[in-house]
Amino acid sequence: MTQSQFKFDLIAQDGHARAGIFHTPHGDIPTPIFAPVGTQATVKSLTQRHLQELDAKMILANTYHLYLRPGDDLVAEMGGLHQFMGWEGPILTDSGGFQVFSLSDMRKIDEDGVTFKSYLDGSTHRFTPELSVKIQENLGADIIMAFDECAEPYDPVYSEKAMQRTHRWAERCQNAKTRDDQALFGIVQGGVFPELREASARFITSLNFPGNAIGGLSVGETKDEMHNMIELVNDILPREKPRYLMGVGTPQDLVNGVMRGIDIFDCVLPTRLARHSTAMTDHGRMNMMNAQYARDERPISETCTCYTCQNHSRAYLRHLLKAGEMLSGTLISIHNIHTLLELTRNLRQAIIDGQFAIFAEQYLSTMDP
Amino acid sequence: MTQSQFKFDLIAQDGHARAGIFHTPHGDIPTPIFAPVGTQATVKSLTQRHLQELDAKMILANTYHLYLRPGDDLVAEMGGLHQFMGWEGPILTDSGGFQVFSLSDMRKIDEDGVTFKSYLDGSTHRFTPELSVKIQENLGADIIMAFDECAEPYDPVYSEKAMQRTHRWAERCQNAKTRDDQALFGIVQGGVFPELREASARFITSLNFPGNAIGGLSVGETKDEMHNMIELVNDILPREKPRYLMGVGTPQDLVNGVMRGIDIFDCVLPTRLARHSTAMTDHGRMNMMNAQYARDERPISETCTCYTCQNHSRAYLRHLLKAGEMLSGTLISIHNIHTLLELTRNLRQAIIDGQFAIFAEQYLSTMDP
């Protein structure tokens, strides 16, 4: 198995924070990077041109959803996910593991895999590590993920059992993989338990994936617990491989993750908040439905360079929200994704300039918690 | 009352079809033109940049809706509709008359005006010709419309009564108007009755508006009746003023209207159909939800140059629709509006080239009815 098309160049380090470039068949990803989530092969309410204009470098799509609808075979027949959705840049697909565990009321786990019922029609399906890889090969993303078991973070017995199974499944995913133009990332599990996280980081490292992810965080644990787990795991994960913190998140999470050596993030937060009237800024969140914005001619953020802030007032956004107009979701999504992408661009520059600690402290201190 | 900022130049005529330029304070409108409808100060699901990219020359907004929410006073305070919605091109507002008559369950008409209940909260409101003009002056569109009474098309007694009142209200609108940077258009009514339409066209012509509209069509009458009324009215309306056929519509209606001397059209059809899965093409409509498109790699139309057809397959659009994704509405709206705008551009060129009759016959003969 060659990974010649994937190469991670670390170009600067400042404390534990890293700036790099991850080379993929569909383009270079400057890190740290935030990947907007396009669950069903669409970042909700945005055209692919919007994403280009936002200079999004990578997007994420969900294996579980695309397997159920329209089906990974159909996507493969249409030329793969890039062609199907009209996005020429890098794509990452998750393994479906998280959704199988979080969306399915009825699921049964055994050593071989998971049987679950579709959230769409109740039909029965079964994922194994091998099938997850096969689906992801059909989808054809640049980065694909090992099929893992995401346990509740506070149950030590279940966490260890799930972690051990995740390890065995990681090896099976590696063995099942056939395509050279996809990078398979391993996933570290282990809940909030240092000894489990440490063992998991060592084991996943030993499998020599071209990149490694930290899963099972941002699922209910405290921020301190999350930060401790990241620090502990990143001490073990190889520095010459990209590190991906799955399903995270907020601007603060990005700063705190980069501070602890994370390179890649993804989260539905910017688009989900947008659909619920909420704008993300470098100083906290704003509910654009708020009556105080009814006659406010200012943009969401007066220093923001996004399309929304360059063209529209808070008063107009509030009107669109009150009127139930779809454009509100589009405009606030553009702003929210811009906020996170601009933050990662600024974090990257601060690392290159050797100013990361100052930037991070300043940023976190002016953020309304 | 000067109208110096408004000038209509007829640059070519071919049969009754006309090509012209209507000059407004926010830019020139080449005619024939189709104006997409932005009911609540947003053409549903499109950014203003989408409209620019589609080369939309004018959009329409609804007085009734904007009066109720967010309020015309608020829009005025925010600098008027252009500033409020971030659209720098020409805007037309209707008078609110059509919505008062079509949306309000409870309405009471008297000589002075109409009392109605808000469709939003049941609160009671009253429109008079003077108030309609005042609201439209607050909104600040380039073209504003006289407040008219839109009758059922087949009741001769009510049609005449409504027409006479529309005439008196047209004069009151003209007297109420105070802004020089807005062109007030009169509206011809009279149902499907030739003698009423003739009388109405003569009376409205006598008021010497800078442009004239035909209202009360496309509300249930046959196509033949509509075409007859247009021909009859346009024989009377002055040729040196733009003629606007309100609330129309389909590609065939545009061709048939232009053939009979219409210059301006508006309709919610392209965006409404898009939100109901339907693409408009030069050969008829396509329901993009149809199973036959599931694995169809072609764009909606293989000859179409719109963003959607240049970037996305029928299979992808069908997937978005099946998945309930907002992007489907945006992408199909882009295509549908492009179809109508491209048609008006082609009609205009055919008129300039003296090829209108051939173009129209060819177009109508290949359209699936």
Side-chain angles (χ1 to χ4, degrees):
Chain A
M1 183 174 62
T2 70
Q3 294 291 348
S4 54
Q5 296 179 81
F6 297 92
K7 192 163 158 280
F8 184 54
D9 292 323
L10 265 182
I11 62 169
Q13 185 144 0
D14 187 0
H16 290 97
R18 306 128 55 87
I21 299 171
F22 190 55
H23 305 275
T24 82
H26 286 87
D28 291 347
I29 303 166
T31 62
I33 194 70
F34 174 81
V37 176
T39 304
Q40 306 196 97
T42 161
V43 177
K44 285 185 195 303
S45 85
L46 300 189
T47 65
Q48 272 57 304
R49 186 180 290 168
H50 283 139
L51 294 167
Q52 288 162 2
E53 288 167 354
L54 286 163
D55 205 16
K57 296 296 190 185
M58 176 164 70
I59 60 171
L60 185 143
N62 284 112
T63 289
Y64 171 85
H65 288 97
L66 293 173
Y67 157 81
L68 289 176
R69 186 176 56 195
D72 51 294
D73 55 335
L74 186 149
V75 174
E77 217 178 293
M78 297 296 105
L81 205 42
H82 297 86
Q83 173 82 9
F84 179 63
M85 67 181 291
W87 172 254
E88 290 169 11
I91 302 177
L92 183 154
T93 47
D94 63 6
S95 69
F98 182 77
Q99 282 75 25
V100 165
F101 289 95
S102 63
L103 288 183
S104 303
D105 289 336
M106 295 281 292
R107 56 177 163 76
K108 200 169 161 294
I109 311 161
D110 55 56
E111 179 58 24
D112 186 50
V114 190
T115 302
F116 62 94
K117 286 193 191 289
S118 160
Y119 83 107
L120 292 175
D121 61 7
S123 57
T124 300
H125 299 264
R126 183 168 171 78
F127 271 10
T128 61
E130 290 77 14
L131 183 63
S132 171
V133 168
K134 182 164 182 301
I135 295 168
Q136 292 185 81
E137 292 194 337
N138 271 339
L139 296 175
D142 301 87
I143 302 176
I144 66 176
M145 302 302 299
F147 189 63
D148 62 333
E149 181 171 354
C150 186
E152 324 247 308
Y154 289 116
D155 180 338
V157 176
Y158 178 33
S159 278
E160 176 163 14
K161 211 174 135 189
M163 179 197 80
Q164 297 291 3
R165 187 141 50 199
T166 292
H167 294 174
R168 292 188 293 272
W169 286 359
E171 286 190 284
R172 284 169 57 187
C173 285
Q174 212 166 36
N175 292 331
K177 182 178 182 300
T178 66
R179 282 178 66 160
D180 280 353
D181 59 347
Q182 297 184 298
L184 173 67
F185 280 25
I187 304 177
V188 173
Q189 288 286 355
V192 296
F193 306 101
E195 60 282 14
L196 295 184
R197 286 284 174 182
E198 214 175 294
S200 189
R202 289 196 198 287
F203 182 84
I204 294 298
T205 297
S206 77
L207 294 184
N208 198 26
F209 289 104
N212 298 291
I214 308 178
L217 290 180
S218 199
V219 293
E221 78 287 359
T222 67
K223 291 291 179 191
D224 277 348
E225 286 169 331
M226 178 166 87
H227 296 163
N228 290 341
M229 293 304 111
I230 296 171
E231 286 174 13
L232 187 154
V233 167
N234 278 347
D235 263 357
I236 297 164
L237 290 179
R239 69 181 290 278
E240 70 277 11
K241 306 275 182 72
R243 300 163 179 159
Y244 165 30
L245 181 58
M246 302 182 77
V248 170
T250 66
Q252 297 96 319
D253 286 342
L254 265 58
V255 174
N256 278 305
V258 168
M259 189 186 293
R260 291 164 177 84
I262 298 294
D263 306 300
I264 301 172
F265 303 84
D266 82 280
C267 196
V268 296
L269 199 65
T271 44
R272 181 168 291 168
L273 285 178
R275 294 196 308 284
H276 293 87
S277 321
T278 302
M280 305 171 85
T281 81
D282 292 333
H283 304 291
R285 295 183 189 175
M286 296 163 68
N287 183 343
M288 302 315 300
M289 193 81 100
N290 202 309
Q292 76 185 93
Y293 302 132
R295 289 159 194 266
D296 193 334
E297 294 183 80
R298 292 173 295 175
I300 297 171
S301 161
E302 290 181 278
T303 55
C304 182
T305 59
C306 82
Y307 171 78
T308 303
C309 287
Q310 292 299 307
N311 290 279
H312 294 296
S313 65
R314 298 173 183 180
Y316 183 60
L317 294 171
R318 178 173 189 271
H319 163 64
L320 294 177
L321 287 163
K322 296 289 284 183
E325 286 285 353
M326 289 167 64
L327 185 58
S328 61
T330 302
L331 292 177
I332 303 176
S333 289
I334 287 173
H335 170 80
N336 287 353
I337 290 176
H338 174 88
T339 298
L340 294 188
L341 292 180
E342 188 71 4
L343 173 58
T344 57
R345 288 188 283 262
N346 290 336
L347 287 167
R348 189 168 194 271
Q349 194 57 49
I351 295 165
I352 291 169
D353 295 343
Q355 302 289 316
F356 178 80
I358 296 165
F359 179 91
E361 191 192 347
Q362 168 76 16
Y363 190 92
L364 294 174
S365 70
T366 59
M367 176 64 82
D368 195 11
Chain B
M1 183 176 62
T2 70
Q3 294 292 348
S4 54
Q5 297 179 78
F6 297 91
K7 194 163 155 283
F8 184 54
D9 292 323
L10 265 182
I11 62 169
Q13 184 145 359
D14 187 359
H16 290 96
R18 305 128 56 87
I21 299 171
F22 191 55
H23 305 275
T24 82
H26 286 88
D28 291 347
I29 304 166
T31 62
I33 193 71
F34 174 80
V37 176
T39 304
Q40 306 195 96
T42 161
V43 176
K44 286 187 194 300
S45 85
L46 299 189
T47 65
Q48 271 57 304
R49 187 181 289 170
H50 284 137
L51 294 167
Q52 288 162 4
E53 288 167 353
L54 286 163
D55 204 17
K57 295 297 189 185
M58 175 164 72
I59 60 171
L60 185 142
N62 284 111
T63 289
Y64 171 84
H65 287 96
L66 294 172
Y67 157 81
L68 289 176
R69 183 174 60 196
D72 52 292
D73 55 335
L74 185 148
V75 174
E77 216 178 294
M78 296 298 105
L81 205 42
H82 297 87
Q83 173 82 11
F84 179 62
M85 68 181 290
W87 172 255
E88 290 171 11
I91 303 177
L92 183 154
T93 46
D94 63 7
S95 69
F98 183 76
Q99 283 74 25
V100 164
F101 289 95
S102 64
L103 288 182
S104 302
D105 290 336
M106 295 280 294
R107 58 178 162 76
K108 201 169 160 296
I109 311 161
D110 54 56
E111 179 58 25
D112 186 50
V114 190
T115 302
F116 61 95
K117 286 194 191 290
S118 161
Y119 84 106
L120 292 175
D121 61 7
S123 57
T124 299
H125 300 264
R126 184 170 171 77
F127 271 10
T128 60
E130 290 76 15
L131 183 64
S132 171
V133 168
K134 182 166 181 300
I135 295 169
Q136 292 185 80
E137 291 194 336
N138 271 338
L139 296 175
D142 301 87
I143 301 175
I144 66 176
M145 301 303 298
F147 189 63
D148 62 335
E149 181 171 352
C150 187
E152 323 246 309
Y154 289 115
D155 180 337
V157 176
Y158 178 34
S159 278
E160 176 162 15
K161 210 174 137 190
M163 180 197 80
Q164 298 291 2
R165 186 142 53 201
T166 292
H167 293 174
R168 292 187 293 272
W169 286 358
E171 286 191 284
R172 283 169 58 187
C173 285
Q174 212 168 37
N175 292 330
K177 182 177 183 300
T178 66
R179 281 178 66 160
D180 280 353
D181 59 347
Q182 297 184 300
L184 173 68
F185 280 26
I187 303 177
V188 173
Q189 287 287 353
V192 295
F193 307 101
E195 60 282 14
L196 295 185
R197 285 286 174 182
E198 215 176 292
S200 190
R202 289 196 198 286
F203 182 83
I204 295 297
T205 297
S206 77
L207 294 183
N208 198 24
F209 289 104
N212 297 292
I214 307 178
L217 290 179
S218 199
V219 292
E221 79 287 359
T222 68
K223 292 291 179 191
D224 276 349
E225 286 169 332
M226 178 165 86
H227 296 162
N228 290 341
M229 293 304 111
I230 296 171
E231 286 174 14
L232 187 155
V233 167
N234 278 348
D235 262 358
I236 298 164
L237 290 179
R239 69 180 291 278
E240 70 276 13
K241 307 275 181 71
R243 299 163 180 159
Y244 164 31
L245 181 57
M246 303 183 76
V248 170
T250 66
Q252 296 98 316
D253 287 342
L254 265 58
V255 174
N256 278 304
V258 169
M259 189 186 294
R260 292 164 176 84
I262 298 293
D263 306 300
I264 302 173
F265 303 84
D266 82 281
C267 197
V268 295
L269 199 66
T271 45
R272 181 169 292 167
L273 285 178
R275 296 196 307 283
H276 293 87
S277 320
T278 302
M280 304 170 86
T281 81
D282 292 332
H283 304 291
R285 295 181 189 175
M286 296 164 68
N287 183 342
M288 302 314 301
M289 193 80 101
N290 201 309
Q292 75 186 92
Y293 302 132
R295 288 159 194 267
D296 193 334
E297 295 184 81
R298 291 173 295 175
I300 297 172
S301 161
E302 290 181 278
T303 54
C304 181
T305 58
C306 83
Y307 171 78
T308 303
C309 287
Q310 293 298 307
N311 289 279
H312 295 296
S313 65
R314 297 173 183 181
Y316 183 60
L317 293 171
R318 179 173 189 268
H319 162 65
L320 294 178
L321 286 163
K322 296 289 283 184
E325 285 284 352
M326 288 167 65
L327 185 58
S328 61
T330 302
L331 292 178
I332 303 177
S333 289
I334 287 173
H335 170 81
N336 287 354
I337 290 176
H338 174 88
T339 298
L340 294 188
L341 292 180
E342 188 70 5
L343 173 57
T344 57
R345 289 188 282 261
N346 290 336
L347 288 167
R348 189 169 195 271
Q349 194 57 49
I351 295 165
I352 292 169
D353 295 344
Q355 302 289 317
F356 178 78
I358 296 165
F359 180 91
E361 191 192 347
Q362 168 75 18
Y363 190 91
L364 293 174
S365 71
T366 59
M367 175 65 82
D368 195 11

